[in-house]
Amino acid sequence: MTGFPRKVRDAVKERSGGRCEYCGCPLDDVPASMHHRRPRGMGGTKDPRANGPANALVLCGTGTTGCHGRFEYARGLALAKGVLVSRYAGDPADVPFTDATGVSWRLDDAGGKLAISKRGYGAEV
């Protein structure tokens, strides 16, 4: 598998509301990219979860700019925020993602997200 199928890209873009899922900036006039939370690895992967919505984020920038670039270079921060998921951590759907406002989200394979932090507990989006 090499990338996110169209159905997944569409679901994740809808989930994002046209904004970077980390910083919240509108993506109308800035580059944006789909980010694999758990990297596929050098040889790729046969794991079907690798290209599912729970393993995807829409981030502003490219692999070298914006939030996407920031997390490509700050791997420790990316792991701490759930932007990056260790290959040893299990299913990406079980690893919360924390945005720039401090709200933690559980992403699902239907393209939805559920706030799980105290600030928005149980608020389905």
Side-chain angles (χ1 to χ4, degrees):
M1 292 185 184
T2 58
F4 297 105
R6 162 94 31 221
K7 182 178 177 181
V8 171
R9 287 193 310 267
D10 291 346
V12 174
K13 286 178 185 177
E14 184 175 330
R15 179 183 73 202
S16 78
R19 295 180 170 275
C20 173
E21 291 190 272
Y22 181 74
C23 74
C25 78
L27 299 176
D28 298 331
D29 298 321
V30 298
S33 52
M34 296 286 289
H35 167 72
H36 281 90
R37 296 175 66 211
R38 172 181 287 143
R40 293 166 293 168
M42 293 295 285
T45 181
K46 292 181 181 179
D47 184 349
R49 297 174 298 185
N51 291 317
N55 195 42
L57 289 172
V58 175
L59 298 176
C60 64
T62 66
T64 58
T65 64
C67 287
H68 197 170
R70 174 183 183 198
F71 289 119
E72 287 297 324
Y73 290 103
R75 303 297 263 188
L77 177 63
L79 280 166
K81 296 284 188 178
V83 172
L84 185 64
V85 175
S86 166
R87 63 183 170 143
Y88 305 110
D91 190 338
D94 296 331
V95 178
F97 153 67
T98 304
D99 67 22
T101 68
V103 176
S104 293
W105 302 91
R106 190 157 315 273
L107 307 179
D108 65 39
D109 277 323
K113 64 183 181 179
L114 177 69
I116 58 170
S117 66
K118 290 181 182 178
R119 182 172 162 196
Y121 186 78
E124 198 160 348
V125 177

